[in-house]
Amino acid sequence: MTVDTEPQEPESTAMRFEVVSSALKEGTAAAARVGRLALPGRRPIDTPNFIAVTSRGTLPHVTPDNISKHLQVSGAYFSLEDFVEKSQQNLSRPPPIFSAPTSTNHPTPLYSFTGTPSHITTILAARRLPAVPSPIGNSTKSISVFTNTGFQNLSTTDYLSAASTLEPDITIPLADLTNNSPPGTSPTSKRALRMAERTDEWIVDWFSSPLSTSTSTFAPVLPIPYPIQWEYLSRLAEDYIPSSQLSGLAVHDPDIIPDLATHQPSLLSLPLLSLSNPSNPHLILRHIALGTDLFALPLINAVSDAGLALNFTFPAPPSPGSPPLPLAVDLSLPSFSTSVTPLSESCTCYACKSHHKSYIHHLLQAREMLGWTLLQIHNHATMSAFFGGIQRSIKDATFEDERLSFSRAYDSEMPAGVGERPRMRGYQYKSQGGEENAGKKKNKPAWQKELAVEDDKVEVPETDGGRELQEKGVGEVVKGSGR
């Protein structure tokens, strides 16, 4: 049964969310739904939808002006650890973002410092997505965050102070997460219970302190079984929904949504933001079928870095008897060196209208940043069209049939991508204590000698740099010439 209502614009300064259409059927606890999330001064977000995931305060490879011109992005996920260098306790020098000047177009320090377009909803969390595992773990009063100068402790008090200064539209309070469990595994029951107890204590501390009335709170829902965190979830439903302090949920594992529908149905009146980091559109569709409203998708940045152009639509094209279609094409492959067709025939984004596969293949081979910029524009446009098709199918009561057709039409996983990625940043691989490749360089050298010709060697001083030149076959160290 499909239920439709007309979306209403917010009448106050508070965030508003309402379900416009639901595919809920008799006998099911949760189902796909269409909604509208509206915040004052921001572009309304029709759900299901996704938000962009930033790195160091910006969407990788895309400048703010191009975000406004070429991307249909309504929200952006920021992490506090991207902006801080030291522990936030007893700071002698606050991070520069805290004192960023504001203006009409950039009304808060977060908008001003990052240059985020004013129509985009900002979501602030303590950690990146996905988070780099900490070798020291969390404590009873704080979590461990990966700053520019290494891991530092961040307490609820310090994080609340930072959120009050930056004034994001939505803030996600601290949660006691391990971040290092292998995919498909769960923490031990003892560790899971400690996660629930700590997060419960921290949420009480969070709501006991005043926060800007313009900032909404999305409480974390932990990736552990419902019975272990039922007391924490009951507190959210019974204490913070009636007081209008709780505006949404940040769900780390959408499989818990049916349990919420059964045991805490009032929580499903809130928008559900998934932080589960799905690796392909099939998982996105599965989570939407459970009732997820919003997704933070690091997947898009990852496939762009891999040189992949997304190539799927929803609904899927009819292809009876045909082999599954690839979810993306790897433009670094030599076969695209002479292809003058768009990245996707059905796409109308700037990259597809203005350029072709051969040009982007050349950019990737030359390691020109424009190649990844155009891929970001295309991949975000493809994902926007994908979610638009999902919204229409839910309203038309065809979502489940179209979801099944999609699973048959496309490969189950993204291609790996064989091209060379952009140079890795430290937070993308550090802190993996004891990993086999620890100490090895992650990036290809910016230069190297192609042919070792004895006569080409030059004399270099006996320094670290000189010894590196000698290892490359370019120079020959002169003993005693270093400082």
Side-chain angles (χ1 to χ4, degrees):
M1 178 180 66
T2 301
V3 180
D4 294 311
T5 60
E6 288 298 321
Q8 300 295 322
E9 295 299 327
E11 298 177 356
S12 66
T13 59
M15 185 200 84
R16 287 195 59 180
F17 173 75
E18 58 183 319
V19 176
V20 177
S21 179
S22 173
L24 188 66
K25 297 180 180 178
E26 187 175 353
T28 58
R33 60 188 189 178
V34 172
R36 168 163 285 197
L37 179 67
L39 294 99
R42 309 287 176 255
R43 178 185 296 165
I45 304 176
D46 293 323
T47 64
N49 217 321
F50 74 100
I51 59 173
V53 177
T54 66
S55 169
R56 302 296 189 198
T58 186
L59 185 63
H61 312 301
V62 187
T63 55
D65 60 321
N66 281 319
I67 291 176
S68 296
K69 286 192 292 185
H70 301 305
L71 268 62
Q72 298 177 5
V73 173
S74 299
Y77 176 100
F78 297 89
S79 63
L80 181 64
E81 64 182 358
D82 271 337
F83 305 110
V84 298
E85 297 180 357
K86 299 181 179 180
S87 172
Q88 296 303 288
Q89 188 174 9
N90 302 321
L91 276 179
S92 58
R93 189 182 67 178
I97 190 174
F98 289 0
S99 56
T102 60
S103 64
T104 303
N105 292 332
H106 300 101
T108 71
L110 181 58
Y111 278 94
S112 176
F113 189 83
T114 62
T116 302
S118 59
H119 67 271
I120 290 181
T121 297
T122 53
I123 300 175
L124 180 69
R127 304 225 55 197
R128 300 181 187 94
L129 187 67
V132 176
S134 168
I136 59 177
N138 304 325
S139 69
T140 57
K141 297 294 183 181
S142 62
I143 68 170
S144 183
V145 296
F146 190 25
T147 71
N148 292 340
T149 56
F151 283 95
Q152 306 287 349
N153 292 329
L154 179 68
S155 67
T156 290
T157 301
D158 297 330
Y159 180 46
L160 186 63
S161 174
S164 298
T165 300
L166 299 180
E167 296 185 74
D169 297 310
I170 296 170
T171 305
I172 302 172
L174 301 186
D176 185 24
L177 302 171
T178 58
N179 295 314
N180 56 7
S181 298
T185 64
S186 302
T188 64
S189 57
K190 183 177 179 180
R191 179 68 180 95
L193 181 60
R194 186 162 68 246
M195 291 167 62
E197 291 173 344
R198 286 180 178 176
T199 305
D200 190 22
E201 293 174 3
W202 295 345
I203 205 73
V204 172
D205 293 340
W206 178 270
F207 284 120
S208 65
S209 303
L211 188 65
S212 170
T213 56
S214 63
T215 298
S216 301
T217 295
F218 277 37
V221 177
L222 302 172
I224 57 178
Y226 174 82
I228 298 179
Q229 57 179 322
W230 74 269
E231 188 172 0
Y232 162 65
L233 296 172
S234 296
R235 185 189 302 279
L236 295 180
E238 296 170 7
D239 294 353
Y240 302 124
I241 289 183
S243 63
S244 299
Q245 292 176 281
L246 182 62
S247 302
L249 298 178
V251 182
H252 288 273
D253 183 0
D255 283 336
I256 201 174
I257 295 177
D259 288 322
L260 298 181
T262 301
H263 303 289
Q264 304 292 344
S266 63
L267 291 176
L268 293 195
S269 64
L270 305 173
L272 306 181
L273 167 64
S274 171
L275 302 181
S276 61
N277 189 17
S279 59
N280 58 67
H282 300 289
L283 286 176
I284 294 174
L285 290 170
R286 179 178 176 274
H287 294 166
I288 288 175
L290 294 174
T292 304
D293 301 300
L294 282 172
F295 293 83
L297 290 181
L299 166 67
I300 306 177
N301 298 339
V303 297
S304 297
D305 280 354
L308 302 175
L310 296 178
N311 193 32
F312 55 82
T313 61
F314 192 91
S319 55
S322 301
L325 300 170
L327 292 169
V329 293
D330 185 355
L331 293 180
S332 63
L333 295 174
S335 57
F336 294 110
S337 61
T338 58
S339 175
V340 291
T341 59
L343 280 67
S344 176
E345 295 292 345
S346 61
C347 183
T348 59
C349 75
Y350 167 79
C352 288
K353 290 191 298 183
S354 305
H355 304 288
H356 46 66
K357 294 174 182 174
S358 176
Y359 177 60
I360 295 180
H361 169 82
H362 158 72
L363 293 174
L364 294 176
Q365 295 300 108
R367 292 180 59 77
E368 289 284 353
M369 193 182 76
L370 178 59
W372 293 297
T373 299
L374 293 173
L375 283 174
Q376 281 282 64
I377 291 173
H378 168 75
N379 289 337
H380 279 82
T382 299
M383 196 61 75
S384 294
F386 174 68
F387 276 95
I390 292 171
Q391 294 168 18
R392 290 188 292 272
S393 71
I394 297 174
K395 291 180 179 179
D396 295 340
T398 61
F399 172 73
E400 286 299 333
D401 292 337
E402 299 292 359
R403 177 187 165 206
L404 181 60
S405 298
F406 187 93
S407 68
R408 293 170 176 167
Y410 290 100
D411 287 338
S412 59
E413 295 292 342
M414 288 284 180
V418 299
E420 194 172 339
R421 271 68 166 174
R423 291 184 67 82
M424 293 184 71
R425 280 77 70 189
Y427 61 87
Q428 292 179 308
Y429 60 84
K430 285 184 179 178
S431 86
Q432 305 289 333
E435 64 176 336
E436 294 180 0
N437 60 349
K440 295 182 180 179
K441 292 186 177 181
K442 307 292 182 178
N443 294 310
K444 182 180 178 181
W447 51 267
Q448 60 183 353
K449 186 172 179 63
E450 297 296 336
L451 296 173
V453 181
E454 195 70 26
D455 294 340
D456 285 350
K457 293 183 179 179
V458 297
E459 294 184 351
V460 294
E462 189 178 11
T463 62
D464 290 341
R467 281 186 285 272
E468 183 178 0
L469 290 172
Q470 181 170 268
E471 291 174 1
K472 297 293 183 184
V474 178
E476 184 173 349
V477 170
V478 178
K479 299 292 185 180
S481 61
R483 288 189 296 173

